[in-house]
Amino acid sequence: MALSGRRLLQHLLQALLILYLFQEKVADSDVIRCKEEEKEVLLEFRGGLIDSFGTFSSWGSKDKKDCCEWEGVLCLQTGHVYGLKLAEKQLKGTINASLLHKMHHFRFLDLSYNNFSGSPIPEFLDSVKSLKTLRLSYAGFKGPIPHRLGNLSRLQLLDLSGNDGLYNIGNIEWLSHLSSLRYLDLSGCDLSGADYWFQVINKLPLLSELRLAWCHLPQITSGTPLNVNATASLLNLHLAGNNVTNSIYPWLFNVSGNLNELNLSYNLLQGQIPEGLGHYMVSLTRLFLDSNELEGGIPKSIGNMSCLLALDLSYNNLIGQLSGFIQNLSGGCTQKKLESLYLSGNKITGSVPDFTRFSSLKKLGLGQNLLNGTVSKSIGQMFNLEIIDLGDNSLKGIISEEFFLNLSKLEILDLSHNSLVLELSDDWVPPFQEIHSLSLASCNMGPHFPKWIRNLKESGVFLLRLDISNAGISDTIPDWIWPMFNYLGYFNISYNHLKGNLPDFSLLYPVPHPDQALHIYMSSIDVEGPILSLPPRAACINLSGNKFSGPTSFICSASAKYLKYLDLSNNLLSGMLPDCWAKFEKLLVLNLGNNGLSGKIPPSLGSLHNILTLKLSSNNFSGEVPNFSNFTGLRILDLQANALSGKLPEWIGESLPSLLVLSLGSNRFNGNIPLQLCHLANIQLLDLSLNDISGSIPKCFNNFTALSETTSSRVAITYVYESPFERGAHKYIDSNWLTWKGTKYEYSYTLGLVKILDLSCNKMIGAIPEEIMNLVGLIALNLSRNNFSGPISPKIGQLKSLDFLDLSRNRFSGEIPSSLSLINDLGVMDLSYNNFSGKIPTGTQLQSFNATVYEGNPGLCGLPLPKECPGEEPAQAPSTMKGKIPEDEFLSLGFYVSLSLGFIVGFWGVCGTLVLSRSWRRAYFKFLGDMKDRIYVTAVINLAKLKQRFNN
């Protein structure tokens, strides 16, 4: 019995040992869970990619034999690889087709936010029949969208957004085969050729989220068939930045039962916001209709949207009182749930009312309207507010500390460009715990520099944006402001009266914040002295309009990684420019005008191949212009008022196709105008005046397409580049100094409308080519002070846009063309000191000018000159009866005596009374004023009726 018990225990121990060894063996086999053949596929897939971040360092390593533990690899419990999640890894190279061969369970691929450098989307992806999720957004793909993606019948999510180089060929019918699709995002892809996109979308029965923003979609016409049932599952619809018109409303009202989010921003919606939005879309939580052409007010039905959390109607043409808008939004539960309200960029009037009824409100945007009056102090009680934008209005009054009493969650505050007075004590500690943006431009907070800003820093708050420009500050720049540059992203103290010098930024913080680019604006603040260095990581630097002096070697200290905009114009800088420009590959704007710079222009400036604006005017640069043929995107080249010499460069016309403004006046250029300049089809302002240019005007000037059009595609010459501190982007508006009608002006907001050809003060000869008369968009033509000769073409009357014409001091001959009188808008003209002859053409236009514009032409006659033309007699009244008494006999002495007495009695009888009697004088002038007003009103009404009759 004992023996059998001992044997039983022995067998039990053996069994336990065998079980332990078996489990250990199983455990060892489980170390490598993924299938060997799939592991080989992954390694082959890795071979075609360039890994900059070390993402693939774990792939194939000895420590991680199990491919399911590799970074980005997704596995099922069975060990099969079902997906790759490799977003934001900065991958480059090519995607290997081996991914398909043995991956039978593969259903998820995310390669978004990488850089495939313009490669096409791989065609083989359509063979991965099991694929359910395909994310390739912002991955640098270009080329046509493969139609064969329509073979992926199991696909539920397709995201190709952010690949601006992707485009559609023909229709998008292939999308209709993706019957399982629930999420579709093609934002940023060019679908301009997809004429029937709307019908295709209607064929996707399970689609719940559709994002086709900025796709250049063709318009939906009123006759487009609407398949309501097919889109009943739609929850989120994003069609921003397309050509969507009011024709979409009927479809929206039918499919809106379950719609949660609707984004139709940046489209072509017109007229009033339809009441149907509030009647049919009661389930909406977010509605974005900003940047359209909507008019009127907010319909009352919007208040029915009891689930509404966000409403953006900014940048339209909405009018009305703000209090009325708020009243219409106060229906139902809207006022309790609304978190975001943007009405900026409209024409809304009234004061800022009490918003406390919107207890959940976090974001309030009312900027760029016509608001006036005061700001209700009740805003200070809205403790949930994170954003307040009241900038660019006509608000007035005092903003005290009470205004901010409970705004501890405030992140963005914009009160700029109003007539507000900030009464905040120096020792005030703002309650803001999260504030990162303060825009207080044009708010009166002077004369001392606001010390409470320093208290923010001491409270542990780090501002990213600070704008206190034009704030009435007259003080010394405090030393504590400069260390803030270590974390600031936007800093603007322009247009104040400040004292002090700039510090040596390189010594302040040698290790700057690595990720944040700085925009610094210190224009016109009266600061003087040398500039020792520029702030590290600065992207935009504007130090113009000050008294900075000394050499410009400090420019080389700027960050080549960030610098895009540098304006040092209107200072006292001197010496030669440094030759370190080759490193500034990202520079877009360089303005060094109106300083005392000298010497030759450094050749390394020619390395700025991204430059859009280059201004070196009003300095003392000499020698020839270096080769700027790499400036293919250059729009403004201003080298006027220097001592530059040599021939006009031929490469200007050959290599600068985007040039809009070429200003080379007041230099020492010589030789003929090269024919290559005729390639500047986009040129709007060509100034070659005050040089030593000879030869004739090229006939090919009629190739200047922009000058041959009476309209302009732009009012201002602008460009936008990314910035997190200017509502998502920074807008740069180009400007240029021009001499107009004898006075020098700086044109900026209307520069795109200015069309000028100025060849004055040179040594040019020959006749004006008839082809010049085709430049019908010209506003100013100045050919004065040359040696031009010959007659003026009768076609000059075609230049009906001319406001300024100067042909003076040449050798023009012949008669003044009668067609010149047809230019009705001609405000300034000078034809003096030529060899014109004959009669000045009659017409109110040419006779309205002063006689000096015709002087120096001995052969001219007729009004307004005192010289009568031969054969012309003074006009006489025709005789109507025989034996009429001669005038000299009729006008006897008695007639003159009676005339004199009558004048004395009549004049002093009326005027003398007006002089002596104040009441009569007031009554008389009131009568004249009333009569003038009646005549003016009558004329305006009749003119309006006449215009309406012609329009009908």
Side-chain angles (χ1 to χ4, degrees):
M1 186 76 177
L3 182 60
S4 61
R6 191 181 300 115
R7 286 180 178 177
L8 180 62
L9 181 60
Q10 184 178 0
H11 288 310
L12 180 61
L13 291 173
Q14 288 175 347
L16 291 173
L17 179 60
I18 292 171
L19 181 61
Y20 172 77
L21 293 174
F22 176 77
Q23 287 180 339
E24 188 178 34
K25 184 176 181 181
V26 171
D28 288 340
S29 65
D30 277 352
V31 170
I32 304 177
R33 290 193 299 121
C34 75
K35 309 304 178 185
E36 188 66 27
E37 56 186 11
E38 294 183 357
K39 177 180 179 181
E40 293 176 359
V41 170
L42 291 175
L43 293 176
E44 191 174 345
F45 169 78
R46 180 193 65 177
L49 296 173
I50 301 173
D51 176 18
S52 302
F53 280 10
T55 302
F56 295 142
S57 60
S58 61
W59 287 35
S61 67
K62 294 181 179 180
D63 296 334
K64 293 186 177 181
K65 296 180 180 180
D66 183 2
C67 65
C68 293
E69 296 182 2
W70 295 352
E71 184 174 355
V73 178
L74 306 176
C75 289
L76 299 170
Q77 289 184 350
T78 59
H80 288 289
V81 175
Y82 78 86
L84 289 175
K85 191 173 183 179
L86 297 172
E88 300 183 64
K89 305 299 182 183
Q90 290 297 310
L91 298 178
K92 300 178 182 180
T94 57
I95 301 174
N96 200 311
S98 63
L99 187 65
L100 320 173
H101 294 165
K102 299 178 182 179
M103 293 284 193
H104 303 296
H105 300 270
F106 199 82
R107 62 189 187 216
F108 184 97
L109 179 61
D110 186 354
L111 296 175
S112 55
Y113 294 94
N114 284 291
N115 183 12
F116 291 100
S117 306
S119 302
I121 292 178
E123 288 278 353
F124 64 78
L125 286 176
D126 71 288
S127 302
V128 191
K129 301 298 183 182
S130 57
L131 201 60
K132 292 184 178 181
T133 297
L134 179 59
R135 289 187 181 274
L136 302 177
S137 58
Y138 295 92
F141 288 110
K142 290 185 178 181
I145 303 173
H147 288 189
R148 293 170 61 181
L149 291 178
N151 297 332
L152 302 175
S153 57
R154 297 184 183 181
L155 201 63
Q156 297 179 7
L157 184 150
L158 176 60
D159 187 355
L160 306 179
S161 62
N163 295 286
D164 296 337
L166 287 179
Y167 57 88
N168 171 65
I169 297 179
N171 59 47
I172 55 173
E173 184 64 30
W174 58 273
L175 276 173
S176 63
H177 303 306
L178 303 178
S179 56
S180 301
L181 203 61
R182 299 176 183 272
Y183 180 103
L184 175 62
D185 191 348
L186 300 179
S187 299
C189 302
D190 188 352
L191 304 182
S192 56
D195 293 330
Y196 302 103
W197 67 272
F198 197 70
Q199 291 89 326
V200 172
I201 297 302
N202 277 330
K203 296 178 182 179
L204 301 175
L206 301 179
L207 194 65
S208 62
E209 184 155 348
L210 175 63
R211 295 175 177 268
L212 298 178
W214 305 99
C215 289
H216 309 289
L217 293 172
Q219 290 187 11
I220 302 173
T221 62
S222 56
T224 301
L226 306 176
N227 185 355
V228 176
N229 295 327
T231 50
S233 61
L234 200 60
L235 297 177
N236 298 327
L237 178 61
H238 290 247
L239 297 177
N242 287 291
N243 298 303
V244 176
T245 64
N246 295 31
S247 300
I248 200 174
Y249 287 140
W251 178 76
L252 284 176
F253 297 156
N254 283 313
V255 303
S256 59
N258 298 317
L259 207 60
N260 289 332
E261 187 169 327
L262 175 61
N263 190 332
L264 297 177
S265 305
Y266 294 92
N267 276 295
L268 303 176
L269 300 177
Q270 296 180 331
Q272 294 191 340
I273 301 172
E275 288 279 353
L277 283 178
H279 292 312
Y280 297 104
M281 299 187 173
V282 292
S283 63
L284 272 184
T285 59
R286 286 176 169 79
L287 176 60
F288 304 98
L289 301 177
D290 54 294
S291 303
N292 279 280
E293 300 173 20
L294 298 172
E295 301 173 349
I298 298 177
K300 293 182 179 180
S301 64
I302 295 290
N304 298 335
M305 296 180 177
S306 57
C307 300
L308 199 62
L309 301 177
L311 176 63
D312 192 345
L313 302 176
S314 55
Y315 302 102
N316 281 287
N317 297 309
L318 301 179
I319 59 174
Q321 288 280 326
L322 179 58
S323 57
F325 280 57
I326 302 307
Q327 184 64 37
N328 291 345
L329 283 172
S330 301
C333 301
T334 303
Q335 63 181 10
K336 296 180 180 179
K337 293 187 176 182
L338 194 66
E339 297 179 355
S340 175
L341 175 62
Y342 282 99
L343 300 174
S344 304
N346 284 289
K347 301 175 182 177
I348 302 172
T349 56
S351 58
V352 180
D354 187 345
F355 276 93
T356 53
R357 70 183 78 176
F358 297 95
S359 55
S360 299
L361 199 63
K362 296 180 180 179
K363 302 174 182 179
L364 178 61
L366 302 175
Q368 301 180 50
N369 275 290
L370 303 176
L371 299 177
N372 49 28
T374 58
V375 181
S376 173
K377 293 182 180 179
S378 61
I379 286 185
Q381 304 171 18
M382 301 180 66
F383 56 88
N384 285 319
L385 273 177
E386 299 172 0
I387 296 177
I388 299 178
D389 179 8
L390 303 177
D392 295 281
N393 281 288
S394 299
L395 299 170
K396 58 185 178 182
I398 296 175
I399 301 295
S400 63
E401 298 170 12
E402 183 182 358
F403 182 89
F404 307 106
L405 190 60
N406 295 312
L407 301 180
S408 60
K409 297 181 181 179
L410 200 63
E411 298 177 5
I412 297 176
L413 175 64
D414 189 348
L415 302 177
S416 58
H417 305 296
N418 285 287
S419 297
L420 298 171
V421 178
L422 268 61
E423 290 189 352
L424 306 171
S425 61
D426 288 344
D427 58 355
W428 177 59
V429 179
F432 321 132
Q433 301 297 316
E434 305 292 336
I435 193 79
H436 59 76
S437 177
L438 276 176
S439 299
L440 305 174
S442 300
C443 292
N444 191 342
M445 62 177 70
H448 300 297
F449 205 96
K451 295 181 180 179
W452 56 267
I453 295 176
R454 184 182 187 179
N455 298 337
L456 280 173
K457 178 187 174 183
E458 295 178 350
S459 300
V461 177
F462 294 97
L463 284 176
L464 297 180
R465 176 189 174 98
L466 176 62
D467 186 352
I468 52 174
S469 59
N470 192 31
I473 300 173
S474 182
D475 201 353
T476 301
I477 302 178
D479 291 336
W480 54 261
I481 202 73
W482 305 121
M484 294 177 65
F485 279 33
N486 197 30
Y487 52 85
L488 269 172
Y490 183 100
F491 179 72
N492 193 342
I493 58 172
S494 301
Y495 304 105
N496 286 293
H497 299 285
L498 302 171
K499 300 176 183 177
N501 299 319
L502 294 184
D504 187 344
F505 289 102
S506 63
L507 300 178
L508 269 178
Y509 34 85
V511 183
H513 192 289
D515 300 321
Q516 193 67 65
L518 171 64
H519 297 64
I520 174 172
Y521 299 90
M522 300 176 62
S523 175
S524 302
I525 58 174
D526 297 333
V527 178
E528 57 188 16
I531 302 175
L532 301 177
S533 64
L534 294 176
R537 66 183 179 81
C540 299
I541 303 175
N542 189 340
L543 303 178
S544 64
N546 289 293
K547 300 175 183 177
F548 293 119
S549 58
T552 55
S553 55
F554 61 86
I555 292 176
C556 299
S557 68
S559 170
K561 179 180 178 181
Y562 297 106
L563 192 63
K564 293 182 178 180
Y565 169 94
L566 179 61
D567 189 345
L568 302 173
S569 61
N570 298 293
N571 277 290
L572 303 174
L573 301 174
S574 58
M576 299 177 64
L577 276 182
D579 198 14
C580 58
W581 300 98
K583 69 176 185 176
F584 296 111
E585 295 183 356
K586 295 185 178 181
L587 196 62
L588 301 175
V589 175
L590 177 61
N591 188 354
L592 302 175
N594 198 20
N595 277 285
L597 303 174
S598 59
K600 293 185 177 182
I601 299 175
S604 62
L605 271 179
S607 303
L608 305 176
H609 55 86
N610 287 316
I611 196 80
L612 299 175
T613 296
L614 176 61
K615 299 180 183 178
L616 304 177
S617 58
S618 300
N619 281 286
N620 296 311
F621 290 115
S622 58
E624 296 186 355
V625 180
N627 193 319
F628 293 155
S629 58
N630 289 329
F631 296 178
T632 54
L634 192 68
R635 300 191 303 182
I636 292 186
L637 178 59
D638 186 359
L639 304 177
Q640 64 175 317
N642 280 286
L644 298 171
S645 58
K647 294 184 177 181
L648 294 174
E650 296 179 354
W651 51 259
I652 291 179
E654 295 172 340
S655 305
L656 310 182
S658 303
L659 206 60
L660 303 175
V661 175
L662 176 59
S663 188
L664 303 178
S666 301
N667 278 288
R668 299 172 184 173
F669 291 113
N670 55 54
N672 297 343
I673 297 177
L675 297 179
Q676 287 83 354
L677 281 190
C678 298
H679 298 158
L680 300 176
N682 297 309
I683 199 73
Q684 293 182 199
L685 192 157
L686 177 59
D687 181 4
L688 304 178
S689 62
L690 290 159
N691 280 287
D692 294 322
I693 299 172
S694 56
S696 58
I697 301 176
K699 294 182 178 182
C700 57
F701 268 21
N702 64 343
N703 291 337
F704 296 154
T705 305
L707 296 181
S708 302
E709 299 171 348
T710 55
T711 58
S712 291
S713 59
R714 61 183 67 83
V715 176
I717 299 176
T718 64
Y719 68 87
V720 177
Y721 59 89
E722 294 181 2
S723 167
F725 309 105
E726 295 287 325
R727 292 189 177 97
H730 179 80
K731 186 175 183 180
Y732 173 74
I733 301 177
D734 255 320
S735 63
N736 210 67
W737 285 93
L738 305 173
T739 301
W740 182 256
K741 301 179 181 180
T743 306
K744 201 169 185 179
Y745 299 97
E746 185 178 21
Y747 287 80
S748 56
Y749 291 93
T750 59
L751 183 59
L753 301 176
V754 177
K755 297 185 176 183
I756 294 177
L757 177 59
D758 191 347
L759 305 178
S760 62
C761 301
N762 279 289
K763 299 176 180 179
M764 302 189 69
I765 60 173
I768 302 178
E770 195 165 285
E771 288 79 2
I772 291 291
M773 307 309 163
N774 294 326
L775 305 181
V776 295
L778 275 175
I779 294 176
L781 175 61
N782 192 348
L783 304 178
S784 64
R785 298 177 185 270
N786 278 284
N787 294 312
F788 292 121
S789 59
I792 304 298
S793 171
K795 292 185 178 180
I796 195 172
Q798 297 177 177
L799 306 181
K800 296 186 182 298
S801 299
L802 274 185
D803 182 53
F804 180 97
L805 175 64
D806 192 349
L807 304 178
S808 64
R809 300 183 184 276
N810 279 286
R811 299 178 182 178
F812 292 119
S813 58
E815 295 185 349
I816 298 175
S818 59
S819 62
L820 197 59
S821 63
L822 302 177
I823 306 177
N824 297 322
D825 295 328
L826 198 58
V828 174
M829 184 182 73
D830 193 348
L831 306 179
S832 62
Y833 298 99
N834 279 286
N835 294 317
F836 290 117
S837 59
K839 182 180 179 181
I840 298 174
T842 55
T844 55
Q845 184 66 21
L846 297 184
Q847 271 67 48
S848 65
F849 290 109
N850 191 287
T852 56
V853 307
Y854 301 106
E855 68 183 3
N857 293 280
L860 279 181
C861 60
L863 294 176
L865 292 175
K867 180 181 178 182
E868 296 180 357
C869 295
E872 287 189 349
E873 299 294 337
Q876 295 181 355
S879 176
T880 57
M881 65 180 191
K882 296 180 181 180
K884 182 179 179 180
I885 301 175
E887 282 187 353
D888 56 342
E889 293 181 12
F890 177 76
L891 300 179
S892 60
L893 178 62
F895 170 80
Y896 289 108
V897 172
S898 301
L899 181 65
S900 301
L901 289 175
F903 172 79
I904 293 171
V905 173
F907 180 83
W908 287 108
V910 176
C911 297
T913 306
L914 294 177
V915 171
L916 297 176
S917 174
R918 177 180 297 178
S919 60
W920 280 44
R921 186 163 65 249
R922 287 180 176 176
Y924 177 72
F925 285 113
K926 183 178 184 300
F927 167 78
L928 290 181
D930 293 341
M931 180 62 70
K932 180 195 71 172
D933 291 341
R934 281 197 293 272
I935 294 173
Y936 174 77
V937 171
T938 302
V940 170
I941 293 174
N942 290 334
L943 181 60
K945 290 180 178 178
L946 186 61
K947 287 183 177 179
Q948 185 176 7
R949 184 179 302 172
F950 278 113
N951 292 333
N952 295 334

